[in-house]
Amino acid sequence: MTEKIQHLLSDSKGARWTALFIVAFTMMMGYFITDVMSPLESLIETSRAAGGLGWTSTDYGFFSGSYGLINVFLFMLFFGGIILDKMGIRFTGILACALMVIGVCIKFFGVSHDFGDSHFYMNILIYKGNIPMSAAVASLGFAIFGTGCEICGITVSKIITKWFTGHELALAMGIQVALARLGTAGALMGSLPFAKAFGGKVSAPVCLGMVLLIIGFLAFCVYCVMDKRLDKSIAEAKGETLKQEEADEEKKDEDEEFHFRDLALIFTNPGFWCICLLCLLFYSGVFPFLKFATKLMIANYGVNENVAGIIPGLIPFGTILLTPLFGSLYDKIGKGATLMLIGSTMLAAIHFIFAIHILPYGWFAVIIMILLGVAFSLVPSAMWPSVPKIIPMKLLGSAYAIIFYIQNIGLSLVPMWIGKLNSVDPTYTTSMSVFCTFGVIAVVLSLLLIIIDKKKHYGLQEANIKK
């Protein structure tokens, strides 16, 4: 058996890390597009006569929340997980990348085309009324992009689990998250200067992101070749005969095949639901916050408009080093649930500080953002590698899809809600209090997860690397 394991392509350190960096690059490009317009809120809300798009704060909030609309209300992310488990990594990954490219092209058309004074009547949940046609088209594109990006996210999570189980799993996931955050940081720090370099055009950084995403799509196609070789090595290690034209990952032993009845193993798992809700609350307290953080820096901390996007950009930049560090720590000594508890506590405390407006100076905002970056490293570095400890590999795609689906509820509705709150309370006190509440509930869920882990023996507090 030992001899067979040595024949697996994933046992080659160079091969598995090469595979990781290829798919991580694709996700990094996706995350750049996700936040490419976040630092441009002031420019977007400038009148069309002055070169902006003429959107209101509510319009921008709707656009920001449109990312998850298709995933949430048409259940596409949930179906994406089933497709992943039934059709395999290569088919699902290519499909997801194609949706991302189509979506960003529509988004680019929405922000670059002159629709005049035309509007579109919208009646979706908390948004009711006329929305500028440019916002409607851009939101449609962002929703399609969001569908592809989230399905790609669960696919990449399964890819990393496939290549790194028994190896540096948490470190690998941490590095993937760190590179994704690098894409976010690049968007937050570079979008506004890039737009101003092209005469204040919002479409300029979106066009840049579109080109980068196409390159990311091509990179994933390269990964598919490696994935096919890995499947071949697995088949050979099992002593099976594998025809090249039938080298699909769904060819598994009967006991490893996906069955719809097995979904009950997910839905009845209390630890899984703790992680689901923790993901919802934690990410709802970070990503929607980043959508409005640049304007917050200007309004409450007196930061110059030209550099205001740099301060929120410190959050993802901090995670670039810290997420792999905390992931490596989890690999070696465990304590995954404890890391989630510490990160959630920090999230609640930081948003409380933003809510009470103490020390309204730019240097203090920098310190708080760095601390938020630490919190943003702690939770993901422990949360994502914990899922394979709770859910079997054959259901991992569906499990990640459900988590991402629930996460997308927050990523869709929270920005819309915050946009409305900020239009009523421009001091951001109300919206920051909402984010603080998310953090407090996340703390409770982390404590509950620790208790359940002790009873169910998931191994969340144990090291990932098997000696």
Side-chain angles (χ1 to χ4, degrees):
M1 186 62 168
T2 302
E3 184 178 348
K4 290 180 181 179
I5 292 176
Q6 290 174 344
H7 289 156
L8 296 182
L9 184 61
S10 57
D11 286 320
S12 166
K13 194 170 186 178
R16 65 176 179 265
W17 285 103
T18 299
L20 170 70
F21 283 112
I22 290 174
V23 297
F25 175 79
T26 302
M27 286 307 301
M28 181 168 64
M29 298 303 98
Y31 272 76
F32 180 88
I33 288 292
T34 300
D35 279 302
V36 72
M37 289 176 62
S38 296
L40 308 178
E41 184 180 359
S42 298
L43 194 61
I44 289 169
E45 293 175 7
T46 304
S47 67
R48 290 173 50 244
L53 296 179
W55 298 2
T56 65
S57 178
T58 303
D59 296 334
Y60 174 74
F62 177 82
F63 163 78
S64 298
S66 66
Y67 173 91
L69 286 179
I70 295 177
N71 286 328
V72 173
F73 297 105
L74 297 182
F75 301 99
M76 284 304 300
L77 186 50
F78 177 74
F79 292 130
I82 296 177
I83 292 171
L84 175 58
D85 286 331
K86 292 290 288 184
M87 302 299 295
I89 285 169
R90 296 190 291 276
F91 175 87
T92 310
I94 293 295
L95 173 65
C97 289
L99 287 173
M100 284 198 289
V101 171
I102 292 170
V104 74
C105 289
I106 296 174
K107 177 179 176 180
F108 173 70
F109 177 73
V111 299
S112 61
H113 186 74
D114 185 5
F115 293 92
D117 295 323
S118 58
H119 284 69
F120 184 82
Y121 181 76
M122 193 76 67
N123 187 6
I124 300 178
L125 295 175
I126 59 176
Y127 192 100
K128 184 176 182 179
N130 289 319
I131 187 172
M133 187 59 72
S134 59
V137 174
S139 297
L140 173 63
F142 202 28
I144 295 172
F145 165 83
T147 302
C149 191
E150 293 298 300
I151 294 176
C152 191
I154 63 174
T155 304
V156 168
S157 296
K158 189 166 184 177
I159 287 171
I160 296 173
T161 303
K162 181 178 181 179
W163 285 79
F164 283 87
T165 295
H167 300 288
E168 315 91 337
L169 179 59
L171 175 61
M173 286 192 170
I175 289 176
Q176 186 272 313
V177 170
L179 291 175
R181 301 294 179 260
L182 181 60
T184 300
L188 292 173
M189 292 185 169
S191 290
L192 185 59
F194 194 82
K196 290 191 173 182
F198 285 84
K201 290 184 177 180
V202 174
S203 60
V206 178
C207 182
L208 172 64
M210 180 172 62
V211 173
L212 293 174
L213 184 59
I214 292 172
I215 297 173
F217 187 3
L218 297 176
F220 192 89
C221 293
V222 174
Y223 165 77
C224 288
V225 177
M226 294 189 67
D227 187 76
K228 201 167 188 177
R229 289 182 57 202
L230 175 60
D231 283 348
K232 184 177 180 180
S233 73
I234 292 172
E236 290 175 349
K238 290 179 178 179
E240 298 172 354
T241 301
L242 185 69
K243 295 181 180 180
Q244 192 65 30
E245 64 272 14
E246 296 176 350
D248 295 319
E249 62 221 343
E250 67 266 26
K251 302 297 183 182
K252 304 173 184 177
D253 293 334
E254 182 64 26
D255 62 346
E256 293 180 346
E257 289 183 355
F258 172 87
H259 300 285
F260 282 100
R261 63 178 179 271
D262 293 331
L263 291 175
L265 298 175
I266 299 176
F267 293 121
T268 58
N269 190 313
F272 172 79
W273 285 111
C274 277
I275 289 181
C276 268
L277 296 176
L278 175 61
C279 179
L280 169 66
L281 274 300
F282 185 83
Y283 278 92
S284 292
V286 178
F287 281 125
F289 168 75
L290 287 177
K291 301 292 185 185
F292 302 91
T294 299
K295 200 171 180 181
L296 170 68
M297 296 299 105
I298 299 170
N300 285 4
Y301 292 91
V303 180
N304 185 278
E305 176 184 81
N306 294 321
V307 296
I310 295 177
I311 298 180
L314 294 173
I315 295 179
F317 252 116
T319 64
I320 293 169
L321 294 176
L322 293 177
T323 307
L325 176 63
F326 293 137
S328 181
L329 185 68
Y330 186 17
D331 280 331
K332 294 175 181 178
I333 69 171
K335 304 298 180 184
T338 301
L339 292 175
M340 288 183 254
L341 174 61
I342 296 172
S344 298
T345 303
M346 292 180 67
L347 178 72
I350 289 164
H351 282 310
F352 177 74
I353 292 172
F354 277 130
I356 61 177
H357 296 169
I358 62 171
L359 296 177
Y361 306 107
W363 61 266
F364 185 67
V366 170
I367 294 173
I368 297 303
M369 284 293 185
I370 291 174
L371 291 175
L372 185 54
V374 174
F376 199 29
S377 302
L378 279 164
V379 174
S381 66
M383 181 170 60
W384 299 120
S386 294
V387 179
K389 291 185 174 183
I390 296 175
I391 301 297
M393 182 68 179
K394 65 179 179 180
L395 295 173
L396 204 54
S398 298
Y400 277 124
I402 294 168
I403 295 174
F404 276 54
Y405 171 79
I406 293 175
Q407 179 196 63
N408 269 250
I409 295 175
L411 297 182
S412 295
L413 300 185
V414 172
M416 297 181 189
W417 184 20
I418 297 300
K420 281 187 171 292
L421 292 177
N422 289 343
S423 65
V424 177
D425 178 15
T427 68
Y428 291 86
T429 300
T430 305
S431 56
M432 293 303 107
S433 298
V434 169
F435 289 137
C436 179
T437 303
F438 291 161
V440 171
I441 301 174
V443 170
V444 175
L445 289 168
S446 299
L447 290 170
L448 185 59
L449 184 61
I450 292 175
I451 295 171
I452 293 174
D453 179 56
K454 289 181 179 179
K455 292 182 178 180
K456 299 290 185 178
H457 305 290
Y458 295 129
L460 301 183
Q461 300 291 67
E462 299 175 4
N464 294 317
I465 296 178
K466 305 301 180 184
K467 297 182 181 180

